[in-house]
Amino acid sequence: MAKVIEINDPGDPRLDDFRDLSTADRRPDRPGGRGLVIAEGVVVVERLLASPYPVRGLLGVRRRIEALDLSDLDVPAYVTSAEVMASVVGFHLNRGVLAAADRAPAVPLEDLADRSTRLAVLEGVGDHENLGSIFRNAAALGVDGVVLGPGCSDPLYRRSVRVSMGHVLRVPFAIADEWPAALNMLRHKGFTVAALTPRPSAPHLADANLRGRRVAVLLGSEGPGLTEEAIEAADVAVRIPMSSGVDSLNVATAGAVAFYALL
Amino acid sequence: MAKVIEINDPGDPRLDDFRDLSTADRRPDRPGGRGLVIAEGVVVVERLLASPYPVRGLLGVRRRIEALDLSDLDVPAYVTSAEVMASVVGFHLNRGVLAAADRAPAVPLEDLADRSTRLAVLEGVGDHENLGSIFRNAAALGVDGVVLGPGCSDPLYRRSVRVSMGHVLRVPFAIADEWPAALNMLRHKGFTVAALTPRPSAPHLADANLRGRRVAVLLGSEGPGLTEEAIEAADVAVRIPMSSGVDSLNVATAGAVAFYALL
């Protein structure tokens, strides 16, 4: 059972995991290697508690702390006022509860491939909110895991965790260090790698019948899109039919349409 | 040709359309009836210039103002520094250019229905970013117009305009004052009204073959979803197949999947 401890001094060093979040958790040099994993709000905190990440502690107003099942936890749960929380965190937090956890080692890419039938593979997705949305969409639409290629940001950054509704803590991800060699590896493991592109020459998504196969959907960043080398390393390029003169969809939205259509 | 005027005094009353944007444009009592339409950044400003909204003026740093084609405009284009802009607007604006326009009368609902074959109909979409994203997705995926039912926020609010990438200025919208009677009116005009719901009893989206028909896709807010009366007034309810234990998709993302699958 978590130990509930009341704290009223915002300077108390026991609250340091939660201090100055708007700046501190951008720094990968914080304790825990690449920084702590921070969950905000009851739903996301519950997902952190159920995740493989080792929880270090919680901070919240009494009503929120009491809404959580802390029976299996052996960490402190600090209770304070909304004002003290805002002073510690550095901004007003209307979700009323936070949890901090250490990082866990990333899943090796080959292991993730072996136990997945549907993957999202990302290249250059540097926007934390897009990254979080992709994990949320992946969880909803039956994607087993996410592979992070070059140029992707940290999915465990606080804002990604929040936008994903905590699904970055549930959907396993792996880092692809070798690029685009990782795509060849996926092919050797039986995946069809389908690159999503706005190119007019690519066939429509609906015409690529990949159901029943192991599929890796390759998504690039919104602006520049996928690199030439990534598209060439894919088995097939497909596009979402779109009105002319309109910018492409947001990468997370395009990904959701592709997950729906291909998987 | 727009008249380019250099201004270096942030207090100059000629800049009042752009003053204190973070608070002022939430107020419907501003000049222009329901407030001004504000576009931010070159791409969105270009869409405002091409829209039916009567442009009142521009404000930007020289480089951004010079990037625009202002030959058809007869309004002032104020050039200043990034610092003066930030002081006028109330926050740092890294897009470097703004345009302000008056509102135009909304399109009557029946007129919009008569000239559309594919509509998105929204109930209770109060989040400005979701609203903007829905317009962006509608533009990309071939939706002709958007109908705003009860509980929707103002699509011309600055943040919606920005998130939509300016597509709220291109995709026509109408207000449905009679609800759910508006859905019956759409049916009488030959539309099949398809309500998107997470209910497990609803048939899968893929099984509803509505291609070739006039379709109105009915979308509700993320939390409570569509009201019972709206679902009952629809011709058919459909759902996106989703993994169990996962929250539903964001309303804009769900809409994109539905536009793709149904239209």
Side-chain angles (χ1 to χ4, degrees):
Chain A
M1 181 69 197
K3 193 171 175 189
V4 177
I5 301 166
E6 197 152 331
I7 293 190
N8 291 306
D9 172 13
D12 193 310
R14 289 174 292 176
L15 304 184
D16 281 356
D17 278 0
F18 304 102
R19 200 171 299 288
D20 298 332
L21 287 187
S22 60
T23 50
D25 68 346
R26 289 179 190 270
R27 292 179 359 204
D29 53 346
R30 292 265 300 171
R34 299 179 57 206
L36 301 176
V37 182
I38 302 286
E40 302 164 84
V42 169
V43 169
V44 180
V45 166
E46 283 174 340
R47 291 198 171 129
L48 181 63
L49 301 186
S51 80
Y53 299 99
V55 177
R56 296 161 60 96
L58 295 94
L59 170 63
V61 298
R62 182 167 297 276
R63 190 166 62 93
R64 298 294 186 206
I65 291 286
E66 287 177 350
L68 293 161
D69 176 4
L70 304 176
S71 53
D72 287 344
L73 275 182
D74 188 24
V75 298
Y78 300 110
V79 166
T80 190
S81 65
E83 293 68 35
V84 170
M85 268 189 90
S87 164
V88 172
V89 169
F91 53 89
H92 179 73
L93 192 96
N94 57 16
R95 289 174 189 81
V97 64
L98 293 164
D102 283 315
R103 304 254 167 169
V107 179
L109 177 56
E110 300 217 10
D111 291 0
L112 182 65
D114 285 338
R115 59 183 160 108
S116 300
T117 57
R118 297 158 344 160
L119 289 171
V121 184
L122 314 181
E123 187 191 45
V125 179
D127 180 275
H128 286 113
E129 298 198 10
N130 283 341
L131 201 52
S133 297
I134 289 170
F135 274 85
R136 180 180 176 183
N137 298 342
L141 295 167
V143 173
D144 303 310
V146 175
V147 178
L148 303 167
C152 292
S153 51
D154 174 14
L156 296 178
Y157 174 63
R158 183 173 57 86
R159 201 144 48 93
S160 294
V161 173
R162 185 180 67 225
V163 172
S164 81
M165 304 281 283
H167 290 296
V168 296
L169 308 171
R170 299 175 82 207
V171 177
F173 61 87
I175 312 292
D177 292 315
E178 314 278 319
W179 192 262
L183 302 177
N184 297 323
M185 185 276 286
L186 291 175
R187 182 177 309 107
H188 289 307
K189 289 197 178 281
F191 282 88
T192 299
V193 180
L196 194 66
T197 164
R199 287 184 191 181
S201 61
H204 284 203
L205 201 54
D207 298 334
N209 188 355
L210 303 175
R211 283 167 209 263
R213 292 206 235 170
R214 299 180 84 186
V215 179
V217 180
L218 180 57
L219 301 168
S221 72
E222 238 163 292
L226 290 168
T227 60
E228 200 59 48
E229 60 176 353
I231 293 178
E232 291 199 357
D235 295 288
V236 56
V238 290
R239 74 181 167 95
I240 298 172
M242 275 193 267
S243 308
S244 61
V246 175
D247 335 73
S248 59
L249 293 167
N250 163 288
V251 60
T253 307
V257 171
F259 300 156
Y260 171 81
L262 292 178
L263 306 180
Chain B
M1 181 68 196
K3 194 170 176 191
V4 177
I5 301 165
E6 197 152 331
I7 292 191
N8 292 306
D9 172 12
D12 193 311
R14 289 174 293 176
L15 304 185
D16 281 356
D17 277 359
F18 304 101
R19 199 170 300 287
D20 298 332
L21 287 187
S22 60
T23 50
D25 69 347
R26 289 179 190 270
R27 291 180 359 204
D29 53 347
R30 293 264 301 170
R34 298 180 58 206
L36 301 175
V37 183
I38 302 285
E40 302 164 81
V42 169
V43 170
V44 180
V45 166
E46 282 173 343
R47 294 203 166 125
L48 182 63
L49 301 185
S51 81
Y53 298 98
V55 177
R56 296 162 60 97
L58 295 95
L59 169 65
V61 298
R62 182 166 296 277
R63 189 165 63 92
R64 298 293 185 205
I65 290 286
E66 286 176 350
L68 293 162
D69 177 4
L70 304 177
S71 53
D72 286 345
L73 275 183
D74 188 23
V75 297
Y78 300 111
V79 165
T80 191
S81 65
E83 293 68 34
V84 170
M85 269 190 91
S87 164
V88 172
V89 169
F91 52 90
H92 179 72
L93 193 95
N94 57 15
R95 291 175 188 80
V97 65
L98 293 164
D102 283 315
R103 303 255 165 166
V107 179
L109 177 55
E110 299 217 9
D111 291 0
L112 182 65
D114 284 338
R115 58 183 161 107
S116 300
T117 56
R118 302 174 315 178
L119 290 171
V121 184
L122 314 182
E123 186 191 47
V125 179
D127 180 275
H128 286 112
E129 297 197 9
N130 283 341
L131 202 53
S133 297
I134 288 170
F135 274 84
R136 179 180 177 184
N137 298 343
L141 296 168
V143 173
D144 303 311
V146 175
V147 178
L148 302 168
C152 292
S153 50
D154 173 15
L156 295 177
Y157 174 64
R158 182 173 56 87
R159 201 143 49 91
S160 293
V161 173
R162 184 178 71 225
V163 172
S164 82
M165 304 281 284
H167 290 296
V168 295
L169 309 170
R170 301 176 78 207
V171 177
F173 61 88
I175 311 291
D177 292 315
E178 313 278 319
W179 192 262
L183 301 177
N184 297 324
M185 185 276 285
L186 291 174
R187 181 177 310 108
H188 289 307
K189 290 199 179 280
F191 281 88
T192 300
V193 180
L196 194 67
T197 163
R199 287 183 190 184
S201 61
H204 283 202
L205 202 53
D207 298 333
N209 188 356
L210 303 175
R211 283 166 209 265
R213 292 207 234 170
R214 298 179 85 186
V215 178
V217 180
L218 180 57
L219 302 169
S221 72
E222 238 163 291
L226 290 167
T227 59
E228 199 59 46
E229 62 175 353
I231 293 178
E232 290 200 356
D235 295 289
V236 57
V238 290
R239 74 182 167 95
I240 299 172
M242 274 194 266
S243 307
S244 61
V246 175
D247 335 74
S248 58
L249 293 166
N250 163 288
V251 61
T253 307
V257 169
F259 301 156
Y260 170 82
L262 292 178
L263 306 179

